[in-house]
Each structure stands twice: as C-alpha cells, then as structure tokens.
C-alpha cells in the first residue's frame, strides 16, 4: 500500500494500545489512512454517503478492537481488511434488501453511481463503471485495487487472503470481461 | 496485457469520483467525535485449580488407559509375565557404584571352532597363511 507519509507503525500501535496516548494516536491513524480507505470503500459501494458511513464504522471497529491487534500483519493491511469486510457486508445486506441473490452482480449500484452528486464522470466513464459493476464481487475488488490503486499482487493477497496466482488470474478475467462488455455495448 | 493497455488508454486510471469540499480535512475530527470510551483490554480469565490440573489429569488418564489396554492384550495373548531385562533400580544402583564392573557378551558370527575349521580348510600351506595374515609363527608350530 502506498503510505502518504512514512510512519513508525510499531510506535503507532504501542501508542494506540496505551490509554494515555490512544486518542491522539488514533487521530494520526485516521489522518494517515482515512483517505485511502475511503476510496477503497467508495469504489465498492459507489455512493459517497454510504462510503462515508462505512468508513466511520470501519474506524470505530478498529478503535474497539485495537487492543487485540497483535502486529502479525501490518496495521494498514488490518485496516484494509476491515474496510473490505464492511463493504462486502453492506453489499450483501443491500442485495437482500432489494431481493437479489448472492449470485447476482452489483449492477444494482449503477443507480447510485448515476444519482451520486459526487460522480464526476462523463458518458465514457459511466460506460466503464457499468462494465466494472457487472463483474463478480471478488473480481471487482481485485480490479479496483489493481487498476485504480496500482497495488501489488502481494499486498492484495495479504488483504484478501488469496494467493498471488489466483489474483493474477482474477485480474486477467476481469480485464477480459470488461473489454468484452464494452465492445458488445458499442456494437449494440 | 493488451486489453489492460486499451482500457487505460481509453478511460485513464483516475476514478470519476469526488468528495464534498474539505471532506478529508474534517474526517479525523468527525471520527474522533464518534469514538466511544477506550474499551478495556480483555484480561485472561482466572483459572480454577481444576482447570489448571485438567490437562495433566487427562494425560495421566490416557497413559493409564494405554497401560490397561496393554495388560489386557497381554493377558488375552497368553504370553508369560512381563519383565524388564534391566530394571531401572538395578541400572541406577550400577551407575552409583564406581567400582562395579560391567561385562559385556557380544554375539559373534562364528564360534572359535568354526573359525579354525574355516581357516584350516582354506590353507594347506603355512607360508601362504603367514603371508595373508602378516604374522610370524614360531618354528615349533611349523610341523
């Protein structure tokens, strides 16, 4: 993951787990990782309002569980995992709410994309978003992390708990599918 | 990957999203305001004496079970009484006594008689035997 500023994670974790320094350390944590986590969530749920709610839930969960963080993984990886879980749980609930099954893709989010006042894209960008939303959930996650965030496969592997080989295959399929969807939509 | 390059060339890598003005500047304050009191770290539960002893008790029961099973199989198979060739107390006594002599009896592939017979069947000439083994034999044995 690309850190905006290099921080001493060990010291930050120690400060987060110390009652006297926890709040100021958490402030540094949100300043350091808030933006990148927000974009990760936003790309998955499309709307700014939902992304904002989920980001806050994500940080509150991190705050409540920071005492159990053992430092086996990097702090940023741990936060990314929480953010990904929050996003996926939200999407599952949304699917249930509108009567879709787990097998359905996330095209239902297209309405959120189009109606979101903070979507700045033109017709061309909307076309790409439509194609991305037709990917299966995990492929969409991998595509977002690789295409937009330029994350390394090893980093994605840590967050998603999937092998690098499987991620490469997943990204390859995602790119092929997006190309095919775009080409077909242009023929029609 | 050709397809990826095509997508990048056409759509770019920048996402088509934005946020309300100043959103990231106020984010940490907004989150800080919603944080509850710091939860206390979970302390490890205090173990009762039985909980502490339980693993050892189970281990002892397991060994006792195995011993009972061996006794039962032994009884069923009808072999004579179980014995140890070197009871531990004998070994301990022997190790404690510095003057004790330990004798070994090693099994040999040939008995002396078999060896003599083997050699004498192969040699009819004493000089050949001396040469092969590199030994000098007193002249009184030459005949």
């Amino acid at each position: 993951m690309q850190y905006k500023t290099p921080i001493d994670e060990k010291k930050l974790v120690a400060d987060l787990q110390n009652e006297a320094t926890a709040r100021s350390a958490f402030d540094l944590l949100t300043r350091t990782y808030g933006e990148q986590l927000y974009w990760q969530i936003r790309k998955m749920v499309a709307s700014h309002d939902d992304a904002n709610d989920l980001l806050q839930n994500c940080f509150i969960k991190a705050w409540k569980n920071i005492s159990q963080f053992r430092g086996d993984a990097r702090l940023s990886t741990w936060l990314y995992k929480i953010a990904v879980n929050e996003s996926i749980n939200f999407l599952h609930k949304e699917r249930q709410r509108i009567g879709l099954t787990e097998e359905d893709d996330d095209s239902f989010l297209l309405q959120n994309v189009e109606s979101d006042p903070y979507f700045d894209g033109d017709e061309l960008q909307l076309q790409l978003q439509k194609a991305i939303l037709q990917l299966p959930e995990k492929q969409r996650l991998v595509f977002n992390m690789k295409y937009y965030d330029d994350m390394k496969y090893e980093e994605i592997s840590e967050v998603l708990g999937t092998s690098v080989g499987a991620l490469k295959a997943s990204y390859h399929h995602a790119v092929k599918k997006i190309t095919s969807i775009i080409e077909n939509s242009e023929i029609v | 990957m050709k397809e990826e390059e095509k997508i990048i060339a056409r759509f770019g890598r920048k996402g088509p999203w934005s946020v309300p003005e100043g959103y990231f500047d106020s984010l940490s304050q907004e989150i800080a305001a919603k944080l509850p009191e710091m939860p206390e770290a979970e302390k490890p539960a205090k173990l009762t004496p039985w909980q502490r002893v339980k693993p050892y008790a189970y281990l002892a029961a397991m060994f006792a079970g195995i011993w009972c099973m061996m006794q039962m199989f032994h009884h069923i198979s009808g072999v004579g009484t179980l014995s140890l060739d070197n009871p531990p107390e004998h070994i301990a006594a022997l190790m404690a006594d510095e003057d004790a002599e330990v004798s070994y009896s090693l099994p040999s592939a040939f008995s002396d008689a078999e060896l003599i017979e083997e050699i004498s069947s192969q040699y009819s000439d004493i000089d050949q035997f001396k040469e092969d083994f590199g030994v000098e034999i007193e002249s009184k044995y030459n005949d």
Side-chain angles (χ1 to χ4, degrees):
Chain A
M1 268 141 269
Q2 304 294 316
Y3 299 128
K4 276 169 66 187
T5 47
I7 55 161
D8 182 349
E9 273 209 11
K10 272 192 178 174
K11 187 182 180 318
L12 182 59
V13 172
D15 288 347
L16 285 166
Q17 292 176 337
N18 178 352
E19 207 174 338
T21 51
R23 281 191 182 263
S24 60
F26 205 80
D27 185 62
L28 175 63
L29 184 85
T30 51
R31 283 177 199 279
T32 309
Y33 298 115
E35 190 169 342
Q36 63 197 76
L37 290 179
Y38 169 84
W39 288 120
Q40 182 55 49
I41 298 169
R42 176 79 185 272
K43 275 172 238 149
M44 286 307 287
V45 301
S47 109
H48 165 73
D49 289 339
D50 291 334
N52 180 42
D53 288 346
L54 292 172
L55 180 68
Q56 297 198 12
N57 288 349
C58 166
F59 275 119
I60 289 169
K61 276 197 178 159
W63 170 257
K64 284 180 177 172
N65 293 290
I66 194 66
S67 61
Q68 283 152 41
F69 180 74
R70 294 279 166 263
D72 300 330
R74 285 190 302 184
L75 191 59
S76 51
T77 306
W78 185 63
L79 290 169
Y80 249 83
K81 277 185 182 179
I82 299 175
V84 166
N85 280 343
E86 282 292 304
S87 309
I88 289 175
N89 287 343
F90 169 83
L91 292 173
H92 288 189
K93 280 180 195 162
E94 281 296 287
R95 275 199 207 100
Q96 277 182 349
R97 192 175 62 81
I98 55 180
L100 293 173
T101 65
E102 293 296 316
E103 284 73 39
D104 289 310
D105 62 35
D106 293 329
S107 294
F108 68 94
L109 292 172
L110 190 62
Q111 200 185 339
N112 292 4
V113 175
E114 287 172 320
S115 62
D116 190 345
Y118 302 106
F119 178 78
D120 298 338
D122 52 15
E123 273 302 312
L124 197 65
Q125 288 295 339
L126 193 60
Q127 191 187 21
L128 177 62
Q129 292 309 309
K130 272 184 195 172
I132 294 172
L133 288 174
Q134 287 178 54
L135 295 175
E137 196 169 75
K138 193 130 188 203
Q139 271 183 26
R140 194 156 74 87
L141 256 173
V142 176
F143 183 83
N144 285 339
M145 287 176 166
K146 189 78 194 144
Y147 186 84
Y148 288 113
D149 299 345
D150 201 20
M151 280 172 73
K152 289 179 183 153
Y153 284 115
E154 287 74 17
E155 293 169 338
I156 304 175
S157 165
E158 280 178 35
V159 175
L160 300 182
T162 311
S163 72
V164 168
L167 290 172
K168 282 182 182 174
S170 193
Y171 185 66
H172 178 78
H173 287 306
V175 168
K176 274 204 170 292
K177 216 174 278 183
I178 287 171
T179 309
S180 158
I181 294 167
I182 290 169
E183 281 171 1
N184 287 339
S185 69
E186 280 167 353
I187 293 166
V188 177
Chain B
M1 194 190 285
K2 271 186 180 175
E3 281 97 343
E4 187 193 33
E5 285 164 13
K6 275 187 203 169
I7 298 173
I8 294 169
R10 190 164 179 194
F11 300 97
R13 270 199 145 133
K14 194 181 173 299
W17 309 280
S18 62
V19 291
E21 198 155 341
Y23 171 71
F24 290 118
D25 298 332
S26 59
L27 182 65
S28 59
Q29 281 178 331
E30 210 176 310
I31 292 169
K34 289 185 179 170
L35 294 182
E37 284 301 304
M38 192 177 184
E40 273 187 37
E42 277 180 33
K43 289 175 188 165
K46 204 176 175 184
L47 296 176
T48 61
W50 166 239
Q51 281 171 323
R52 263 184 239 146
V53 174
K54 202 158 69 173
Y56 303 107
Y58 285 172
L59 206 63
M62 193 181 75
F63 282 121
I66 292 171
W67 185 81
C68 286
M69 230 160 55
M70 284 172 67
Q71 287 293 325
M72 198 178 72
F73 288 142
H74 178 73
H75 181 73
I76 292 168
S77 64
V79 182
T81 53
L82 284 172
S83 69
L84 289 170
D85 286 339
N86 293 298
E89 60 270 26
H90 288 188
I91 295 169
L94 203 62
M95 287 174 75
D97 183 2
E98 286 179 10
D99 300 326
E101 283 183 17
V102 180
S103 61
Y104 300 97
S105 64
L106 297 173
S108 58
F110 290 103
S111 68
D112 287 351
E114 282 171 327
L115 201 61
I116 291 165
E117 196 182 324
E118 172 96 7
I119 292 169
S120 57
S121 68
Q122 287 177 15
Y123 290 91
S124 53
D125 183 357
I126 192 72
D127 292 329
Q128 184 64 46
F129 176 82
K130 284 198 284 189
E131 196 183 320
D132 285 354
F133 285 86
V135 291
E136 273 303 318
I137 296 173
E138 290 176 43
S139 58
K140 63 179 178 180
Y141 296 115
N142 280 352
D143 296 329

